[in-house]
Amino acid sequence: MTLLDTAPSSDNGTPATKLAPLAWAAQNTKTALWNDSADPEELTRSIEFGAVGATCNPVIAFAAIKKRPDVWGPRIKEIAAQNPTWGESEIGWQAVRDLSINAALLLEPEFERSGGRNGRLSIQTDPRLHRDAAALADQAEEFSKLAKNIIVKIPATKTGIEAMEEAAYRGVSINATLSFTVPQAVAVGAALERALERRAADGLPEQEFGHVVTIMGGRLDDWLKKWTTANRILVTPGILEWAGVAALKRAHAVFQERGYRSRVLSAAFRNQLQWSELVGGDLVVSPPFDWQARINENDIPVADRIGVPVGAGILEELNTLSEFRRAYEVDGMTAEEFQDFGAARNTLRQFLDADAQLDALVRDILVPAA
């Protein structure tokens, strides 16, 4: 029986209208739905589906700003006029700040209701700072002051994890990004525990930070498809669609076993399994809005599946791939290896490219071609 088969009755005892899959999961399980964009229109609609938070990254932020030239063209000109010495990058990043502040307002009611566990809006640190832990921690602290419900994304590399621990110690709510594997997630979870313990030892205020640790499951799938192709390895069709799901289930189980106070977050959706196979867990799923709409439109069955293992045959075949084992085993990689993992290199390049595209967009608005 799926959860949707057991929809509650209304006050007069008659069967209630069956809830859409996302709404049922949001109302009846610990699994939190966040929207994978700070775009205010998408976020407003996602909240209607049951979303209680939002994530963002440079690619998504650039897309949201580019999509609304009627809004952001005049605003970018206004920022430039107010700051006549600023360059394109400074102006573009102020637009990202504005986008984040506006979206954070939509989530404030949930932030208050949940005591800070949800209702958070993610803003990502500048990808160009990825080699500088001190600069990442400082920018994270600055971004955390944009709104009371901001959560800051820092890459899950050796340098980034160092920055996360320091920023979390200072009181910043953390969302790990550039994270695709179990060893990365566990390393981040441990670093956030150290930060909380340091705060307690130093008598700093206890509070709900709502820390989350992302695994970009779909990007792990993407990388394994590219890696198997490059290495001329044939696998059963569809088998690699389970790689990210397997990593997410494994990371969640480890977090529960070790009592980590942060939650795993599922992002970078490529298929509905990256939602349906995680329902029931005390974690966050953050699909793009279009994926949310399709999950509801297709009435994807809802059941408590977080504790249901990936099929033994599927996992056995995945484990024949050395690159999957690196991503799946808790000790599959050292912290020094995180940044050179293929998915990390590809995604960091996309983040850096999006930053450059934002610069170009600002340039086109302020210095249009003759």
Side-chain angles (χ1 to χ4, degrees):
M1 177 180 290
T2 65
L3 297 179
L4 285 179
D5 293 329
T6 59
S9 298
S10 61
D11 291 341
N12 63 12
T14 60
T17 301
K18 187 175 79 170
L19 293 171
L22 292 175
W24 210 105
Q27 293 183 27
N28 294 280
T29 76
K30 292 182 178 181
T31 309
L33 174 69
W34 289 16
N35 186 61
D36 196 17
S37 175
D39 180 86
E41 291 183 3
E42 288 189 358
L43 180 53
T44 298
R45 296 175 66 191
S46 182
I47 289 170
E48 294 172 357
F49 286 167
V52 291
T55 56
C56 200
N57 64 40
V59 175
I60 296 169
F62 168 70
I65 291 170
K66 183 180 180 181
K67 186 173 77 172
R68 291 296 306 273
D70 57 322
V71 172
W72 292 106
R75 176 56 184 148
I76 285 169
K77 290 179 180 178
E78 183 180 33
I79 294 169
Q82 293 169 347
N83 302 277
T85 64
W86 280 12
E88 296 157 354
S89 181
E90 292 168 298
I91 294 167
W93 272 94
Q94 185 56 49
V96 173
R97 289 181 178 88
D98 289 353
L99 173 72
S100 302
I101 291 168
N102 293 340
L105 286 171
L106 298 173
L107 293 166
E108 272 193 20
E110 177 59 27
F111 177 80
E112 299 295 345
R113 189 201 66 76
S114 68
R117 186 159 175 81
N118 288 305
R120 293 190 178 273
L121 187 284
S122 294
I123 180 173
Q124 186 163 324
T125 47
D126 188 333
R128 294 170 300 179
L129 302 178
H130 68 95
R131 300 177 63 198
D132 189 336
L136 286 168
D138 288 345
Q139 188 175 69
E141 186 174 16
E142 183 245 310
F143 282 171
S144 73
K145 297 173 183 176
L146 293 174
K148 59 185 177 181
N149 55 332
I150 288 288
I151 188 168
V152 184
K153 297 175 84 170
I154 297 176
T157 60
K158 185 177 186 295
T159 299
I161 293 170
E162 179 184 338
M164 284 185 230
E165 183 174 344
E166 174 58 26
Y169 171 75
R170 296 183 196 176
V172 178
S173 294
I174 297 296
N175 179 355
T177 189
L178 208 74
S179 177
F180 317 89
T181 70
V182 176
Q184 285 179 286
V186 171
V188 173
L192 295 176
E193 289 300 311
R194 291 194 298 270
L196 291 168
E197 290 164 3
R198 287 172 55 199
R199 286 181 61 84
D202 291 346
L204 296 173
E206 292 187 12
Q207 65 189 76
E208 174 58 76
F209 287 101
H211 296 315
V212 293
V213 183
T214 293
I215 290 183
M216 304 174 89
R219 286 180 179 265
L220 175 58
D221 296 355
D222 293 346
W223 168 242
L224 290 174
K225 291 171 185 176
K226 184 175 182 178
W227 180 84
T228 52
T229 298
N231 287 278
R232 300 181 61 77
I233 298 171
L234 295 178
V235 297
T236 302
I239 207 83
L240 296 178
E241 303 296 328
W242 286 92
V245 170
L248 283 154
K249 283 179 178 277
R250 181 76 181 275
H252 175 262
V254 173
F255 274 45
Q256 296 299 300
E257 292 165 4
R258 299 189 180 186
Y260 288 169
R261 284 166 279 185
S262 51
R263 289 176 291 174
V264 171
L265 184 150
S266 170
F269 272 61
R270 299 295 186 269
N271 61 62
Q272 67 266 27
L273 298 173
Q274 290 157 6
W275 171 74
S276 62
E277 285 292 319
L278 305 176
V279 170
D282 185 13
L283 45 70
V284 177
V285 289
S286 185
F289 179 77
D290 186 59
W291 269 105
Q292 296 171 47
R294 284 190 280 168
I295 287 168
N296 279 343
E297 289 164 10
N298 288 274
D299 204 20
I300 299 300
V302 190
D304 185 344
R305 298 210 36 101
I306 187 61
V308 178
V310 172
I314 295 171
L315 197 55
E316 182 179 359
E317 183 169 354
L318 286 171
N319 270 313
T320 65
L321 306 174
S322 61
E323 196 73 346
F324 173 77
R325 295 197 300 274
R326 293 179 71 204
Y328 185 71
E329 298 299 334
V330 172
D331 58 355
M333 285 189 286
T334 65
E336 289 77 12
E337 294 177 289
F338 293 163
Q339 183 162 323
D340 285 330
F341 188 63
R345 284 186 276 119
N346 291 341
T347 303
L348 178 58
R349 287 184 61 88
Q350 289 181 349
F351 289 167
L352 290 165
D353 287 345
D355 187 78
Q357 290 178 67
L358 182 59
D359 285 355
L361 184 149
V362 172
R363 185 182 315 125
D364 287 345
I365 290 170
L366 301 182
V367 190

